[in-house]
Coordinates of all heavy atoms in Angstrom, one line a residue:
M1 N 107.3 -127.1 -52.1 CA 108.3 -128.0 -51.6 C 109.2 -127.2 -50.6 O 109.7 -126.1 -50.9 CB 109.1 -128.6 -52.7 CG 110.2 -129.5 -52.3 SD 111.2 -130.1 -53.7 CE 110.8 -131.8 -53.7
T2 N 109.4 -127.8 -49.5 CA 110.3 -127.2 -48.4 C 111.7 -127.5 -48.7 O 112.1 -128.6 -49.1 CB 109.9 -127.8 -47.1 OG1 108.5 -127.7 -46.8 CG2 110.7 -127.2 -46.0
R3 N 112.5 -126.5 -48.6 CA 114.0 -126.6 -48.8 C 114.6 -127.3 -47.6 O 114.5 -126.8 -46.5 CB 114.6 -125.3 -49.1 CG 116.0 -125.4 -49.5 CD 116.5 -124.1 -49.9 NE 118.0 -124.2 -50.1 CZ 118.7 -123.2 -50.5 NH1 118.2 -122.1 -50.8 NH2 120.0 -123.4 -50.6
K4 N 115.4 -128.3 -47.9 CA 116.1 -129.0 -46.8 C 117.3 -128.2 -46.3 O 117.9 -127.4 -47.1 CB 116.6 -130.4 -47.3 CG 115.6 -131.3 -47.7 CD 116.1 -132.7 -48.1 CE 117.5 -132.7 -48.6 NZ 118.0 -134.0 -48.9
P5 N 117.7 -128.3 -45.1 CA 118.8 -127.6 -44.6 C 120.2 -128.2 -45.0 O 121.2 -127.6 -44.8 CB 118.6 -127.7 -43.1 CG 117.8 -128.9 -42.8 CD 117.0 -129.1 -44.0
G6 N 120.2 -129.4 -45.5 CA 121.4 -130.1 -45.8 C 121.2 -131.5 -46.3 O 120.1 -131.9 -46.6
V7 N 122.4 -132.2 -46.4 CA 122.4 -133.6 -46.8 C 123.1 -134.4 -45.8 O 124.2 -133.9 -45.3 CB 123.1 -133.7 -48.2 CG1 123.2 -135.1 -48.6 CG2 122.4 -132.9 -49.3
M8 N 122.6 -135.5 -45.5 CA 123.3 -136.4 -44.5 C 124.3 -137.3 -45.2 O 124.1 -137.7 -46.3 CB 122.3 -137.3 -43.8 CG 121.3 -136.7 -42.9 SD 122.1 -136.1 -41.4 CE 122.6 -137.6 -40.6
L9 N 125.5 -137.4 -44.5 CA 126.5 -138.4 -44.9 C 126.5 -139.5 -43.9 O 126.5 -139.3 -42.7 CB 127.9 -137.7 -45.0 CG 128.0 -136.6 -46.0 CD1 129.4 -136.0 -45.9 CD2 127.8 -137.1 -47.4
Y10 N 126.4 -140.8 -44.4 CA 126.3 -141.9 -43.5 C 127.5 -142.8 -43.6 O 128.2 -142.9 -44.6 CB 125.1 -142.8 -44.0 CG 123.8 -142.1 -43.9 CD1 123.2 -141.4 -44.9 CD2 123.1 -142.1 -42.7 CE1 122.0 -140.7 -44.8 CE2 121.8 -141.5 -42.5 CZ 121.3 -140.8 -43.6 OH 120.1 -140.1 -43.5
F11 N 127.9 -143.4 -42.5 CA 129.0 -144.3 -42.4 C 128.9 -145.4 -43.4 O 129.9 -145.9 -44.0 CB 129.2 -144.9 -41.0 CG 129.5 -143.8 -40.0 CD1 128.8 -143.7 -38.9 CD2 130.6 -142.9 -40.2 CE1 129.1 -142.7 -37.9 CE2 130.9 -142.0 -39.3 CZ 130.1 -141.9 -38.1
E12 N 127.7 -145.8 -43.8 CA 127.5 -146.9 -44.7 C 127.9 -146.5 -46.1 O 128.1 -147.4 -47.0 CB 126.0 -147.3 -44.8 CG 125.1 -146.3 -45.3 CD 123.6 -146.6 -45.2 OE1 123.2 -147.3 -44.2 OE2 122.9 -146.2 -46.1
M13 N 128.2 -145.2 -46.4 CA 128.7 -144.8 -47.7 C 130.2 -145.0 -47.8 O 130.7 -145.0 -48.9 CB 128.4 -143.3 -47.9 CG 126.9 -142.9 -47.9 SD 126.7 -141.1 -48.0 CE 125.0 -141.0 -48.1
R14 N 130.9 -145.2 -46.7 CA 132.3 -145.3 -46.7 C 132.8 -146.4 -47.7 O 133.8 -146.1 -48.4 CB 132.8 -145.6 -45.3 CG 134.4 -145.5 -45.3 CD 134.8 -145.6 -43.9 NE 134.6 -144.3 -43.3 CZ 134.9 -143.9 -42.0 NH1 135.5 -144.8 -41.3 NH2 134.7 -142.7 -41.6
P15 N 132.2 -147.6 -47.8 CA 132.8 -148.6 -48.7 C 132.8 -148.1 -50.2 O 133.6 -148.5 -50.9 CB 131.9 -149.8 -48.5 CG 131.3 -149.7 -47.1 CD 131.2 -148.2 -46.9
C16 N 131.8 -147.3 -50.5 CA 131.8 -146.7 -51.9 C 132.9 -145.8 -52.1 O 133.3 -145.5 -53.3 CB 130.5 -146.0 -52.1 SG 129.0 -146.9 -52.1
L17 N 133.5 -145.3 -51.1 CA 134.6 -144.2 -51.2 C 136.0 -144.8 -51.1 O 136.9 -144.1 -51.5 CB 134.4 -143.2 -50.1 CG 133.0 -142.5 -50.0 CD1 132.9 -141.6 -48.8 CD2 132.6 -141.8 -51.3
T18 N 136.1 -146.0 -50.7 CA 137.5 -146.5 -50.4 C 138.4 -146.6 -51.6 O 139.6 -146.4 -51.5 CB 137.4 -147.9 -49.8 OG1 136.7 -148.8 -50.6 CG2 136.8 -147.8 -48.4
C19 N 137.9 -146.8 -52.8 CA 138.7 -146.9 -54.0 C 138.9 -145.6 -54.7 O 139.5 -145.6 -55.8 CB 138.2 -148.0 -54.9 SG 136.5 -147.6 -55.6
L20 N 138.3 -144.5 -54.2 CA 138.4 -143.2 -54.9 C 139.6 -142.4 -54.3 O 139.9 -142.5 -53.2 CB 137.1 -142.4 -54.6 CG 135.8 -143.0 -55.1 CD1 134.6 -142.1 -54.7 CD2 135.8 -143.3 -56.6
S21 N 140.2 -141.6 -55.2 CA 141.2 -140.7 -54.8 C 140.6 -139.6 -54.0 O 139.4 -139.3 -54.0 CB 142.0 -140.2 -56.0 OG 141.2 -139.3 -56.7
C22 N 141.5 -138.8 -53.4 CA 141.0 -137.6 -52.6 C 140.4 -136.6 -53.6 O 139.3 -136.0 -53.3 CB 142.2 -136.9 -51.9 SG 142.7 -137.8 -50.4
E23 N 140.9 -136.5 -54.8 CA 140.3 -135.6 -55.8 C 138.9 -136.1 -56.2 O 138.0 -135.3 -56.3 CB 141.2 -135.5 -57.0 CG 140.7 -134.6 -58.1 CD 141.5 -134.5 -59.4 OE1 142.7 -134.9 -59.3 OE2 141.0 -134.1 -60.4
E24 N 138.8 -137.4 -56.4 CA 137.5 -137.9 -56.8 C 136.5 -137.8 -55.6 O 135.3 -137.5 -55.9 CB 137.6 -139.4 -57.1 CG 138.3 -139.6 -58.4 CD 138.6 -141.1 -58.7 OE1 139.0 -141.8 -57.8 OE2 138.5 -141.5 -59.9
K25 N 136.9 -137.9 -54.4 CA 136.0 -137.7 -53.3 C 135.6 -136.3 -53.2 O 134.4 -136.0 -52.9 CB 136.7 -138.1 -52.0 CG 137.0 -139.6 -51.8 CD 137.8 -139.9 -50.6 CE 138.1 -141.4 -50.5 NZ 139.0 -141.8 -49.4
G26 N 136.4 -135.4 -53.5 CA 136.1 -134.0 -53.5 C 135.0 -133.7 -54.6 O 134.0 -133.0 -54.4
R27 N 135.2 -134.3 -55.8 CA 134.2 -134.1 -56.9 C 132.9 -134.7 -56.5 O 131.8 -134.2 -56.8 CB 134.8 -134.8 -58.2 CG 135.9 -134.0 -58.8 CD 136.4 -134.7 -60.1 NE 135.3 -134.8 -61.0 CZ 135.2 -135.8 -62.0 NH1 136.2 -136.7 -62.1 NH2 134.2 -135.8 -62.8
L28 N 133.0 -135.9 -55.8 CA 131.7 -136.5 -55.4 C 131.0 -135.7 -54.3 O 129.8 -135.5 -54.4 CB 132.0 -137.9 -54.8 CG 130.8 -138.8 -54.5 CD1 129.9 -139.0 -55.7 CD2 131.3 -140.1 -53.9
L29 N 131.8 -135.1 -53.4 CA 131.1 -134.2 -52.4 C 130.5 -133.0 -53.0 O 129.4 -132.7 -52.7 CB 132.2 -133.8 -51.4 CG 131.7 -132.8 -50.3 CD1 130.5 -133.5 -49.5 CD2 132.8 -132.4 -49.4
D30 N 131.2 -132.4 -54.0 CA 130.5 -131.3 -54.7 C 129.3 -131.7 -55.4 O 128.3 -131.0 -55.4 CB 131.5 -130.8 -55.8 CG 132.6 -129.9 -55.2 OD1 132.5 -129.5 -54.0 OD2 133.6 -129.7 -55.9
A31 N 129.3 -133.0 -56.0 CA 128.1 -133.5 -56.7 C 126.9 -133.7 -55.7 O 125.8 -133.4 -55.9 CB 128.4 -134.8 -57.4
I32 N 127.3 -134.3 -54.5 CA 126.3 -134.5 -53.5 C 125.6 -133.2 -53.0 O 124.4 -133.1 -52.9 CB 126.9 -135.2 -52.2 CG1 127.3 -136.7 -52.6 CG2 126.0 -135.2 -51.0 CD1 128.2 -137.4 -51.6
L33 N 126.4 -132.2 -52.8 CA 125.9 -130.9 -52.3 C 125.1 -130.2 -53.4 O 124.0 -129.7 -53.1 CB 127.0 -130.0 -51.9 CG 127.8 -130.5 -50.6 CD1 129.0 -129.6 -50.3 CD2 126.8 -130.6 -49.4
A34 N 125.5 -130.3 -54.7 CA 124.8 -129.6 -55.8 C 123.4 -130.4 -56.0 O 122.4 -129.7 -56.2 CB 125.6 -129.7 -57.0
Y35 N 123.4 -131.7 -55.9 CA 122.2 -132.4 -56.0 C 121.3 -132.2 -54.9 O 120.1 -132.0 -55.1 CB 122.5 -133.9 -56.2 CG 121.3 -134.8 -56.4 CD1 120.6 -134.7 -57.6 CD2 120.8 -135.6 -55.4 CE1 119.5 -135.5 -57.9 CE2 119.7 -136.4 -55.6 CZ 119.0 -136.3 -56.9 OH 117.9 -137.1 -57.1
G36 N 121.8 -132.2 -53.7 CA 121.0 -132.0 -52.5 C 120.3 -130.6 -52.4 O 119.2 -130.5 -52.0
E37 N 121.1 -129.6 -52.8 CA 120.6 -128.2 -52.8 C 119.8 -127.9 -54.0 O 118.7 -127.2 -53.8 CB 121.8 -127.3 -52.6 CG 121.3 -125.8 -52.4 CD 122.5 -124.9 -52.2 OE1 123.6 -125.3 -52.5 OE2 122.2 -123.8 -51.7
C38 N 120.2 -128.2 -55.2 CA 119.6 -127.7 -56.4 C 119.0 -128.8 -57.3 O 118.4 -128.5 -58.3 CB 120.6 -126.9 -57.2 SG 121.5 -125.7 -56.3
G39 N 119.2 -130.1 -56.9 CA 118.7 -131.1 -57.8 C 119.5 -131.3 -59.0 O 119.1 -132.0 -60.0
E40 N 120.7 -130.8 -59.1 CA 121.6 -130.8 -60.2 C 122.2 -132.2 -60.3 O 122.9 -132.7 -59.4 CB 122.7 -129.8 -60.1 CG 123.7 -129.7 -61.2 CD 124.7 -128.7 -60.9 OE1 124.4 -127.6 -60.5 OE2 125.9 -129.0 -61.1
I41 N 121.9 -133.0 -61.4 CA 122.4 -134.3 -61.6 C 123.8 -134.2 -62.2 O 124.0 -133.7 -63.3 CB 121.5 -135.1 -62.5 CG1 120.1 -135.3 -61.8 CG2 122.1 -136.5 -62.7 CD1 119.0 -135.9 -62.6
P42 N 124.8 -134.8 -61.5 CA 126.2 -134.7 -62.0 C 126.5 -135.6 -63.2 O 125.8 -136.6 -63.3 CB 127.0 -135.1 -60.8 CG 126.2 -136.0 -60.1 CD 124.7 -135.5 -60.2
E43 N 127.5 -135.2 -64.0 CA 128.0 -136.1 -65.0 C 129.2 -136.7 -64.5 O 130.3 -136.1 -64.6 CB 128.2 -135.2 -66.3 CG 126.9 -134.7 -66.9 CD 127.2 -133.9 -68.2 OE1 128.2 -134.1 -68.8 OE2 126.4 -133.0 -68.5
L44 N 129.1 -138.0 -64.1 CA 130.2 -138.7 -63.5 C 130.5 -140.0 -64.3 O 129.5 -140.5 -65.0 CB 130.0 -139.0 -62.1 CG 129.7 -137.8 -61.1 CD1 129.2 -138.3 -59.8 CD2 130.9 -137.0 -61.0
T45 N 131.7 -140.5 -64.3 CA 132.0 -141.7 -64.9 C 132.8 -142.7 -64.0 O 133.2 -142.2 -63.0 CB 132.9 -141.5 -66.2 OG1 134.1 -140.8 -65.8 CG2 132.1 -140.6 -67.2
G46 N 132.9 -143.9 -64.4 CA 133.7 -144.9 -63.7 C 133.2 -145.1 -62.3 O 132.1 -145.2 -61.9
G47 N 134.2 -145.1 -61.4 CA 134.0 -145.4 -59.9 C 133.1 -144.3 -59.3 O 132.3 -144.6 -58.4
L48 N 133.3 -143.1 -59.8 CA 132.4 -142.0 -59.3 C 130.9 -142.2 -59.6 O 130.1 -142.0 -58.7 CB 132.8 -140.6 -59.9 CG 134.1 -140.0 -59.3 CD1 134.5 -138.8 -60.1 CD2 133.9 -139.7 -57.8
Q49 N 130.7 -142.7 -60.8 CA 129.3 -143.0 -61.2 C 128.7 -144.1 -60.3 O 127.5 -144.1 -59.9 CB 129.2 -143.3 -62.7 CG 127.8 -143.6 -63.1 CD 126.8 -142.5 -62.9 OE1 127.1 -141.3 -63.0 NE2 125.6 -142.8 -62.5
I50 N 129.5 -145.1 -60.1 CA 129.0 -146.2 -59.2 C 128.7 -145.8 -57.8 O 127.7 -146.1 -57.3 CB 130.1 -147.4 -59.2 CG1 130.2 -148.0 -60.6 CG2 129.7 -148.4 -58.2 CD1 131.4 -148.9 -60.8
A51 N 129.7 -145.0 -57.2 CA 129.4 -144.5 -55.9 C 128.2 -143.6 -55.9 O 127.4 -143.7 -55.0 CB 130.7 -143.7 -55.4
W52 N 128.1 -142.8 -56.9 CA 127.0 -141.8 -57.0 C 125.6 -142.5 -57.0 O 124.7 -142.1 -56.4 CB 127.1 -140.9 -58.2 CG 125.9 -140.1 -58.4 CD1 125.0 -140.2 -59.4 CD2 125.4 -139.0 -57.6 NE1 124.0 -139.2 -59.3 CE2 124.2 -138.5 -58.1 CE3 125.8 -138.5 -56.4 CZ2 123.5 -137.5 -57.6 CZ3 125.1 -137.5 -55.8 CH2 123.9 -137.0 -56.4
S53 N 125.6 -143.6 -57.7 CA 124.3 -144.3 -57.9 C 123.8 -144.8 -56.5 O 122.6 -144.8 -56.3 CB 124.4 -145.5 -58.9 OG 125.3 -146.5 -58.4
F54 N 124.7 -145.2 -55.6 CA 124.2 -145.7 -54.3 C 123.9 -144.5 -53.4 O 122.9 -144.5 -52.7 CB 125.3 -146.5 -53.6 CG 125.5 -147.8 -54.3 CD1 126.6 -148.1 -55.1 CD2 124.6 -148.9 -54.0 CE1 126.8 -149.3 -55.7 CE2 124.8 -150.1 -54.6 CZ 125.9 -150.3 -55.4
I55 N 124.7 -143.4 -53.5 CA 124.5 -142.3 -52.6 C 123.2 -141.5 -53.0 O 122.5 -141.1 -52.2 CB 125.8 -141.4 -52.7 CG1 126.9 -142.1 -52.0 CG2 125.5 -140.0 -52.0 CD1 128.3 -141.4 -52.2
R56 N 123.0 -141.4 -54.3 CA 121.8 -140.7 -54.8 C 120.5 -141.4 -54.3 O 119.6 -140.7 -53.9 CB 121.7 -140.7 -56.3 CG 120.5 -140.0 -56.8 CD 120.4 -139.9 -58.3 NE 119.2 -139.3 -58.7 CZ 118.9 -139.1 -60.0 NH1 119.6 -139.5 -61.0 NH2 117.7 -138.5 -60.3
Q57 N 120.5 -142.7 -54.2 CA 119.3 -143.4 -53.7 C 119.1 -143.0 -52.3 O 117.9 -142.7 -51.9 CB 119.5 -144.9 -53.8 CG 119.5 -145.5 -55.1 CD 119.8 -147.0 -55.2 OE1 120.1 -147.6 -54.1 NE2 119.7 -147.6 -56.3
R58 N 120.1 -142.8 -51.5 CA 119.9 -142.5 -50.1 C 119.5 -141.0 -49.9 O 118.6 -140.7 -49.1 CB 121.3 -142.7 -49.3 CG 121.2 -142.5 -47.9 CD 120.2 -143.5 -47.3 NE 119.9 -143.3 -45.9 CZ 120.3 -144.0 -44.9 NH1 121.0 -145.1 -45.1 NH2 120.0 -143.7 -43.7
I59 N 120.1 -140.1 -50.8 CA 119.6 -138.7 -50.7 C 118.2 -138.6 -51.1 O 117.4 -137.9 -50.4 CB 120.5 -137.9 -51.7 CG1 121.9 -137.8 -51.2 CG2 119.9 -136.5 -51.8 CD1 122.9 -137.2 -52.2
D60 N 117.7 -139.3 -52.1 CA 116.3 -139.3 -52.6 C 115.4 -139.8 -51.5 O 114.3 -139.2 -51.2 CB 116.1 -140.1 -53.8 CG 116.8 -139.4 -55.0 OD1 117.1 -138.2 -55.0 OD2 116.9 -140.1 -56.1
A61 N 115.8 -140.9 -50.8 CA 115.0 -141.5 -49.7 C 114.9 -140.5 -48.6 O 113.8 -140.3 -48.0 CB 115.5 -142.8 -49.3
D62 N 116.0 -139.9 -48.2 CA 116.0 -138.9 -47.1 C 115.1 -137.7 -47.5 O 114.4 -137.2 -46.6 CB 117.4 -138.4 -46.8 CG 118.3 -139.4 -46.1 OD1 117.7 -140.5 -45.6 OD2 119.5 -139.2 -46.0
N63 N 115.2 -137.3 -48.7 CA 114.3 -136.2 -49.2 C 112.8 -136.5 -49.0 O 112.1 -135.7 -48.6 CB 114.7 -135.8 -50.6 CG 114.0 -134.5 -51.0 OD1 114.0 -133.5 -50.3 ND2 113.4 -134.5 -52.2
E64 N 112.5 -137.7 -49.4 CA 111.1 -138.1 -49.3 C 110.6 -138.1 -47.9 O 109.5 -137.6 -47.5 CB 110.9 -139.5 -49.9 CG 110.9 -139.5 -51.4 CD 110.8 -140.9 -52.0 OE1 110.2 -141.8 -51.3 OE2 111.2 -141.1 -53.1
K65 N 111.5 -138.6 -47.0 CA 111.1 -138.6 -45.6 C 111.0 -137.2 -45.0 O 110.1 -136.9 -44.2 CB 112.2 -139.4 -44.8 CG 112.2 -140.9 -45.0 CD 113.3 -141.5 -44.2 CE 113.5 -143.0 -44.6 NZ 114.7 -143.6 -44.0
Y66 N 111.9 -136.3 -45.4 CA 111.9 -135.0 -45.0 C 110.6 -134.2 -45.5 O 110.0 -133.5 -44.7 CB 113.1 -134.2 -45.5 CG 113.2 -132.8 -45.0 CD1 113.5 -132.5 -43.7 CD2 112.9 -131.7 -45.8 CE1 113.6 -131.2 -43.2 CE2 113.0 -130.4 -45.4 CZ 113.3 -130.2 -44.1 OH 113.4 -128.9 -43.6
Q67 N 110.2 -134.4 -46.7 CA 109.0 -133.8 -47.2 C 107.8 -134.3 -46.5 O 106.9 -133.6 -46.2 CB 108.9 -134.1 -48.8 CG 110.0 -133.4 -49.6 CD 110.1 -131.9 -49.4 OE1 109.1 -131.2 -49.2 NE2 111.3 -131.3 -49.4
A68 N 107.7 -135.6 -46.2 CA 106.6 -136.2 -45.5 C 106.5 -135.6 -44.1 O 105.5 -135.3 -43.6 CB 106.7 -137.7 -45.4
K69 N 107.7 -135.4 -43.4 CA 107.7 -134.8 -42.1 C 107.2 -133.4 -42.1 O 106.5 -133.0 -41.3 CB 109.2 -134.9 -41.6 CG 109.4 -134.3 -40.2 CD 110.8 -134.4 -39.8 CE 111.0 -133.7 -38.5 NZ 112.4 -133.7 -38.0
C70 N 107.6 -132.6 -43.1 CA 107.2 -131.3 -43.3 C 105.7 -131.2 -43.5 O 105.0 -130.3 -43.0 CB 107.9 -130.6 -44.4 SG 109.7 -130.3 -44.1
E71 N 105.1 -132.1 -44.3 CA 103.7 -132.1 -44.6 C 102.9 -132.5 -43.3 O 101.9 -131.8 -43.0 CB 103.4 -133.2 -45.7 CG 101.9 -133.2 -46.0 CD 101.4 -131.9 -46.5 OE1 102.1 -131.1 -47.2 OE2 100.2 -131.7 -46.3
R72 N 103.4 -133.4 -42.5 CA 102.8 -133.7 -41.2 C 102.8 -132.5 -40.3 O 101.8 -132.2 -39.6 CB 103.4 -134.9 -40.6 CG 103.1 -136.3 -41.2 CD 103.6 -137.4 -40.4 NE 105.0 -137.4 -40.0 CZ 106.0 -137.9 -40.7 NH1 105.8 -138.4 -41.9 NH2 107.3 -137.8 -40.3
A73 N 103.9 -131.8 -40.3 CA 104.0 -130.6 -39.4 C 103.0 -129.5 -39.9 O 102.4 -128.9 -39.1 CB 105.4 -130.1 -39.4
R74 N 102.9 -129.4 -41.2 CA 101.9 -128.4 -41.8 C 100.5 -128.7 -41.4 O 99.7 -127.9 -41.0 CB 102.0 -128.3 -43.3 CG 103.1 -127.3 -43.8 CD 102.9 -127.1 -45.3 NE 103.3 -128.3 -46.1 CZ 104.5 -128.6 -46.4 NH1 105.5 -127.9 -46.0 NH2 104.7 -129.7 -47.1
E75 N 100.2 -130.0 -41.5 CA 98.8 -130.5 -41.2 C 98.6 -130.3 -39.7 O 97.5 -129.9 -39.3 CB 98.7 -132.0 -41.5 CG 98.6 -132.2 -43.0 CD 98.6 -133.6 -43.4 OE1 98.6 -134.5 -42.5 OE2 98.6 -133.9 -44.6
A76 N 99.5 -130.6 -38.8 CA 99.4 -130.4 -37.4 C 99.2 -128.9 -37.1 O 98.3 -128.6 -36.2 CB 100.6 -131.0 -36.6
A77 N 99.9 -128.1 -37.7 CA 99.8 -126.6 -37.5 C 98.4 -126.2 -37.9 O 97.7 -125.4 -37.2 CB 100.8 -125.8 -38.2
A78 N 97.9 -126.6 -39.0 CA 96.6 -126.2 -39.5 C 95.5 -126.7 -38.6 O 94.5 -126.0 -38.3 CB 96.4 -126.8 -40.9
N79 N 95.7 -127.9 -38.1 CA 94.7 -128.5 -37.1 C 94.7 -127.6 -35.8 O 93.6 -127.4 -35.3 CB 95.0 -129.9 -36.8 CG 94.6 -130.8 -38.0 OD1 93.8 -130.5 -38.8 ND2 95.2 -132.0 -38.0
R80 N 95.8 -127.2 -35.4 CA 95.9 -126.4 -34.2 C 95.1 -125.0 -34.4 O 94.4 -124.6 -33.5 CB 97.3 -126.1 -33.7 CG 98.0 -127.3 -33.0 CD 99.3 -126.9 -32.4 NE 100.3 -126.3 -33.3 CZ 101.1 -127.1 -34.0 NH1 101.1 -128.4 -33.9 NH2 102.0 -126.5 -34.9
V81 N 95.3 -124.5 -35.6 CA 94.7 -123.2 -35.9 C 93.2 -123.4 -35.9 O 92.4 -122.6 -35.4 CB 95.2 -122.7 -37.3 CG1 94.3 -121.5 -37.8 CG2 96.6 -122.2 -37.1
L82 N 92.7 -124.5 -36.5 CA 91.3 -124.8 -36.6 C 90.7 -125.0 -35.2 O 89.6 -124.5 -34.9 CB 91.0 -126.0 -37.4 CG 91.2 -125.9 -38.9 CD1 91.0 -127.2 -39.6 CD2 90.2 -124.8 -39.5
R83 N 91.4 -125.7 -34.3 CA 90.9 -125.9 -32.9 C 90.8 -124.5 -32.2 O 89.9 -124.3 -31.4 CB 91.8 -126.8 -32.2 CG 91.6 -128.3 -32.5 CD 92.3 -129.2 -31.5 NE 93.7 -128.9 -31.5 CZ 94.6 -129.8 -32.0 NH1 94.3 -130.9 -32.4 NH2 95.9 -129.4 -31.9
I84 N 91.8 -123.7 -32.4 CA 91.8 -122.4 -31.7 C 90.7 -121.5 -32.2 O 90.1 -120.8 -31.4 CB 93.2 -121.7 -31.9 CG1 94.3 -122.4 -31.1 CG2 93.1 -120.2 -31.4 CD1 95.7 -122.0 -31.4
A85 N 90.4 -121.6 -33.5 CA 89.4 -120.8 -34.1 C 88.0 -121.2 -33.7 O 87.0 -120.4 -33.7 CB 89.5 -120.9 -35.6
R86 N 87.8 -122.4 -33.2 CA 86.5 -122.8 -32.8 C 86.1 -122.2 -31.5 O 85.9 -121.8 -30.7 CB 86.4 -124.4 -32.7 CG 86.5 -125.0 -34.0 CD 86.4 -126.5 -33.8 NE 86.9 -127.1 -35.1 CZ 87.2 -128.4 -35.2 NH1 87.0 -129.2 -34.2 NH2 87.6 -128.9 -36.3

């Protein structure tokens, strides 16, 4: 599995954040980064858990797209090597 360089934050996430305090937003950002980098699932409650459930879906979808892109790039590189070897 290829390691991603980061996690995207989207403007569509903003409505999930409006009712959170600055401290809660900080905790959520830490959770997003830990999950994106290490797959660490945070233990959140209340509004943080609700926001997290939406954000996690987007992180997971982005990760699937990134892995598919990496696989296509690996296949293209392998095909170039095969063409050169012939």
Side-chain angles (χ1 to χ4, degrees):
M1 180 184 244
T2 305
R3 183 174 172 177
K4 296 184 335 179
V7 175
M8 290 290 296
L9 296 177
Y10 296 93
F11 295 126
E12 68 188 32
M13 294 175 182
R14 188 173 284 182
C16 294
L17 307 175
T18 57
C19 64
L20 300 177
S21 70
C22 286
E23 181 183 341
E24 289 172 320
K25 290 174 186 175
R27 288 182 56 209
L28 186 58
L29 179 60
D30 286 342
I32 290 168
L33 294 174
Y35 183 72
E37 185 175 18
C38 307
E40 182 180 316
I41 299 173
E43 294 182 23
L44 303 170
T45 59
L48 284 173
Q49 180 58 39
I50 293 167
W52 171 249
S53 66
F54 290 104
I55 293 170
R56 180 182 180 180
Q57 290 176 357
R58 188 61 188 252
I59 293 170
D60 290 343
D62 286 350
N63 189 46
E64 288 178 22
K65 289 177 189 174
Y66 182 76
Q67 294 303 324
K69 179 180 176 181
C70 290
E71 182 58 33
R72 287 191 305 272
R74 274 191 292 276
E75 289 172 2
N79 288 337
R80 282 192 301 272
V81 169
L82 288 175
R83 281 193 301 250
I84 292 170
R86 290 183 196 168

